[in-house]
Every structure is written in C-alpha cells, then in structure tokens.
Amino acid sequence: MSRFFSSKYSALEPYVPGEQPSCMSEYVKLNTNESPFPPSKKAMDYALNNTRALNLYSDPDSVELSKAIADTYNVKRNMVLATNGSDEILNFAFMAFTDSSNPALFADITYGFYPVFASLNGSRTEIIPLREDFTIAVDDYIDRKGTVFIANPNAPTGIALPVSEIERLVASNPDRVVVIDEAYVDFGGESAVGLVKKYDNILICQTFSKSRSFAGGRLGYGIGSEALISDLNTVKYSTNPYNINSMTSSMGIGILRDASYTEANCRTIMENREYTVKALEKMGFRVLPSSANFIFVSSDKIEGGEYYRKLKEKRILVRHFQKPRISSWCRVSIGRRDQMEAFLKATEEILKESV
Ligand code: PMP
C-alpha cells in the first residue's frame, strides 16, 4: 500500500478472481463457470456488420441493446440497465441501495463479491447463515431491515430457490429492495423476472457471461421498476456513462437474436452435469443438487484443498475456497463432455493414489 492510498479503503480486501492461466491449452479449465462453447457465430457476424463507428463514443443509453433485452423479457426499455458485466449492476445496487444505516443482507456462503462491494461502499452488512444443508431460509430475511442480495441459483452451492419463495420475501416488505442475482438461472433455475411488473422493490441481475458464452465481452444487466432503474442510472452516470463499449453492445444484440444457440448449449451443459454427477456419486462423492453450470462436491476420501491441488497437478483447474463451512468442498464448472471425462478420469486416479 502506498502512503497515498485513502484511509477509507484501508480495510478493503479485494475480490480474488479464479485463475486465468496464460497458456489455456495446458489446462482443462473448470474453475470460473465460463461457457466451454464459443459465442454465437451469427452474433459475431451481426456485430461485424452493425458495430457503431469506433471513433465515436458508445451510446451512453445503450438504446438498441436495452430494447433487445427489454423485448426478450417483455418489459419496457426504461426497466432495463445494461452494464459492464453483472458485477457492475451489482456494484451499482450496493451503491444505490445500501449504506451505513441500511445494511446489505446476504448469506454466509454466496458470491464472494458481495462483501467486497459492501466494504468498498462503506455499507453495513448482516450475514445470514445458510441452513445446515446449504439451502437459503427465506424466513431468516423477512423481519430484518436492509437490502437483500440473493444469488439464485446460489454460488458456489448451485442450489436454487423457487420463485414462490422469492415472491414471499419481496411481498413481505414493500419498503426494502430485494436483489436477485440470476447469473446462473439458465441452467435449470426459475427466473423471478416476471415479478418486476408486479412489485417495484425487486431488481433482477443477469449476465451474458455464462449461458451466452460472452464472459470476455463483459455484459450484464439489471431489470426492475422504472424508479429503481432510474436510481441505478444516477449512479451509472456518476461513475462511467459509456460503460458498454460499442463492440460488446452489438454482440449482445446478436446473441439475443440467436437464442436457439444459447438454449442448445444450456441443454448440453445440463446433460453433461447429470452425467458428471452420476459418475461422481458412484465414486462416493457428495454433490449438492445443482441448477447451475457448476457442481459443488466433497468426499470423505480426500480433503477439498488436496483434491484441488492434485487435480491441478493433472492439469485440471477447479475452484476451492478456504472458508469456514466449505473448505472440504470444491466447485467444478461443467464443460464439454470430453473435459468432464478428463476430470472424472483424473478424479479416479487421485482417489486410487490416496488409498
Ligand atoms: N454473480 C455471480 C453469482 C457470479 O458467480 C458471477 C461470476 N463471477 C457474477 C455475478 C458476475 O459475472 P459477470 O460480471 O461476468 O456478469
């Protein structure tokens, strides 16, 4: 830390992203929940032909892109805000709807960026433990004051909440905001986006990084009432008005136009997930029920950190979190069938070696 660093950040512990090795071909990369499939070819053709001139600034309102997102969900354009990854809409939500007197409420085991955003923005937090089985108990949030952040499906567990439970939470207190982070919803979860027309206190955050194969393009969005989106726009225009670059914007439109490609890829990932889960259970692993493009696994035969390290030695990258309650678990992204076979083969060998 330099002597110039503001004291307001002295306690800030930055988010630690999963490893991004420079020589990708050396690894089977199952550690950051990206799609193993390339972005839609039709979308790339669309972007090549429709990207706004790059000597001009990008459209600060992302009008065409927001329209395409709004049409996808059958909402008005001013109920949508496109952002630089969904991390940005989440940060905007922490900036807009939490502070030192209105805390952020979230689970003890959830997306690791929430506590960082809270700390960055000087917001108070209240951490609500998941139940013993790693499910979210909505009742634990109902009588508390503050803005709720729930990843649904949750990460790194992959467990999904039904929309009826989210509606019960949103309806229980119209005077607080509930943010539902649906980064992984396309792999078998149930989206709560339909609730935005009925309630003005729910914000849905989604991304192009997972099901839509566009993590490197950095595109996400929020959908909520016009008033919530207007507040988030105030924050955006006070931070980075041109937050979406023109190439990403046209790719986003192209990706939405080729929805059948996204849907087919999601089906393949779900099939590969079921295939992998069955094989792991046969080997004696515990696997939490996942509605995401990753699974959370543990075994009595090997400790989580050791399993991670041994897989890495065999050139398979997964994610291990050295955190209370989950240090014996590893999170494994679901990739192509050949990648999952390589992962399963390596796992079998590791179990044999550790006997
Ligand atoms: N929410 C959750 C739960 C995530 O795991 C991630 C990915 N790290 C994000 C949001 C952010 O993804 P992106 O910024 O790529 O949209």
Side-chain angles (χ1 to χ4, degrees), residues 161-174:
L161 262 184
V163 168
S164 54
E165 281 296 274
I166 289 169
E167 178 160 15
R168 194 159 71 79
L169 175 63
V170 173
S172 71
N173 182 354

Side-chain angles (χ1 to χ4, degrees), residues 160-213:
L161 262 184
V163 168
S164 54
E165 281 296 274
I166 289 169
E167 178 160 15
R168 194 159 71 79
L169 175 63
V170 173
S172 71
N173 182 354
D175 295 323
R176 60 112 166 269
V177 177
V178 175
V179 178
I180 305 296
D181 174 354
E182 295 189 346
Y184 300 105
V185 79
D186 295 334
F187 303 99
E190 206 189 338
S191 175
V193 74
L195 300 182
V196 298
K197 289 190 201 161
K198 195 164 163 195
Y199 301 94
D200 66 0
N201 60 323
I202 179 168
L203 177 73
I204 305 292
C205 302
Q206 290 202 3
T207 181
F208 281 68
S209 296
K210 315 293 178 185
S211 58
R212 294 172 175 133
S213 299

Side-chain angles (χ1 to χ4, degrees), residues 84-102:
N84 193 310
S86 57
D87 280 338
E88 189 175 58
I89 188 79
L90 290 166
N91 186 29
F92 288 170
F94 274 87
M95 290 170 83
F97 307 125
T98 69
D99 52 40
S100 53
S101 60
N102 189 49

